[in-house]
Amino acid sequence: MPSESPFGNQYYYDAENLVERSAEERAIDDWLPITSSRTAKWWYSAFHNVTAMVGAGVLSFPYAMSKLGWGPGITVLAMSWIVTLYTLWQMVEMHEMVPGKRFDRYHELGQHAFGEKLGLWIVVPMQLIVELGVNVVYMILGGKSLMKFHDSVSNKNDITLIQFIMIFASVHFVLSQLPNFHSVSGVSLAAAIMSLSYSTIAWGASFNMGEEHDMRHHDENKNTAGTVFPFFSALGNIAFGYAGHNVVLEIQSTMPSTTHKPSKGPMWKGVIVAYIIVALCYFPVAIIGYWALGEKVDENILESLKKPEWLIATANMFVLIHLIGGYQIYAMPVFDMIETVLVRKLRLKPSWYLRFFARNTYVAFTMFVAVTLPFFDELLGFFGGFAFAPTTYFLPCIIWIVLKRPRRFSLSWFTNWTCIILGVVLMVVASIGGLRGIIIRAEHFKFYSYSRT
């Protein structure tokens, strides 16, 4: 085998034997969105990861801080940043841990660790919940941001949230036809810039407003249930902010790789830049937003910041642009799964109309769920705990232990088991808090109501 031949194209390793891929298999790989292009540079990794991670969920961080308090809030933020950077490094390292083979998809790595069938059952359901959950929440947030922008520039409030969600969805019926990750790079770059922009506006406007005199940072009159369950849900909100792991292998798959120059080098360089930007977004918004507004802060901090009106309207437009790109980044692995089943399992012929039907069906489904369950903060808490915590906080550690087999009680063994325990606790308590919030909110919500109240 030529030492500089790209991994994953004409050849692959099966056990220890070099196998030539058939022309049909190569043609399918060249059509599927994850493997069709491998020309990305390290900076693609940076802005793709920023777009995937710094979502509109950062705007809920001050609200989460109001439920956690100063000490636990800052601790959870800092630990999440450190733990998820570590688990992201593990995934980057494991992308090409088998010489001559690339794990281009999360479930492929899971299959290598747990077996063909068990790996699918462990990884795919959680990954689908994450990506579907993000797309649904982004549909809701997109509709809300569009509504806020409309209300700030118009005196007419005759369009409902459901209609704004449908307007936001209409954009994705078009953008979802872009074939692969490389083709959405421009949208992703714009989304990454918007992430930094609206985060800066959020903490800058909060700092400019200063600490309100009659606000407070702790409510001693709340009962136990009113304190504990929101605390649990807030943990899920934080977990939701670190969801980029669910698309990291797919992002890395877009980079060229050879035996002497594996993709993990430029990929990790991009991840470091992305995590610096993540810190510049997350910590100022959470800390300054909570300092300025205390327990008065809304679940979306932009709803608490009324002035200057033109700046808040601009921030909502920035959020809207980011959500458009973020939706596509999380939808692309789902498109890949759907199209893989259609062409490999059902043996349908790859074509533009197959892609048109499959992707538009998915966009329509996420829109339907969004208009049915527009509960912003509770959705963040529930999805953050139920699926984001496993795929981000501890599943990479489990795979690392299975494949790398670190010596018992070594630093690697101890670090990974600590992350696993913390991740499992986070998954359980955040899911409980988020689910309780959904149930309470649903009791007072009129489904498919065309009224703003």
Side-chain angles (χ1 to χ4, degrees), residues 55-60 133-149 161 164-165 168 198 240 299-300 302-303 316-317 319-324 327 370 373-377 379-380:
V58 66
L59 300 176
S60 73
V134 169
N135 285 153
V136 169
V137 172
Y138 277 17
M139 277 282 182
I140 297 168
L141 295 178
K144 285 189 174 184
S145 297
L146 190 58
M147 183 172 69
K148 292 295 181 182
F149 178 79
L161 175 59
F164 277 116
I165 291 174
F168 180 79
Y198 67 69
F240 187 94
E299 60 191 54
N300 182 336
L302 294 182
E303 296 178 11
N316 277 296
M317 180 52 65
V319 172
L320 180 65
I321 296 172
H322 167 263
L323 291 169
I324 292 172
Y327 183 99
L373 298 170
F375 313 132
F376 171 36
D377 55 321
L379 281 173
L380 289 182

Side-chain angles (χ1 to χ4, degrees), residues 209-220:
M209 177 174 34
E211 186 177 9
E212 293 192 5
H213 296 297
D214 60 342
M215 67 86 193
R216 56 189 175 187
H217 293 105
H218 181 67
D219 190 348
E220 298 179 352

Side-chain angles (χ1 to χ4, degrees), residues 241-255:
Y242 293 92
H245 297 56
N246 293 277
V247 294
V248 68
L249 294 180
E250 287 80 357
I251 292 172
Q252 191 169 350
S253 72
T254 65
M255 295 185 166

Side-chain angles (χ1 to χ4, degrees), residues 417-436:
W417 275 108
T418 300
C419 293
I420 291 170
I421 294 170
L422 291 175
V424 170
V425 172
L426 176 63
M427 177 186 69
V428 173
V429 300
S431 299
I432 293 172
L435 183 60
R436 177 180 180 271

Side-chain angles (χ1 to χ4, degrees), residues 311-336:
L311 187 62
I312 304 306
T314 302
N316 277 296
M317 180 52 65
F318 288 167
V319 172
L320 180 65
I321 296 172
H322 167 263
L323 291 169
I324 292 172
Y327 183 99
Q328 291 300 314
I329 290 294
Y330 277 95
M332 198 62 70
V334 182
F335 295 156
D336 182 81

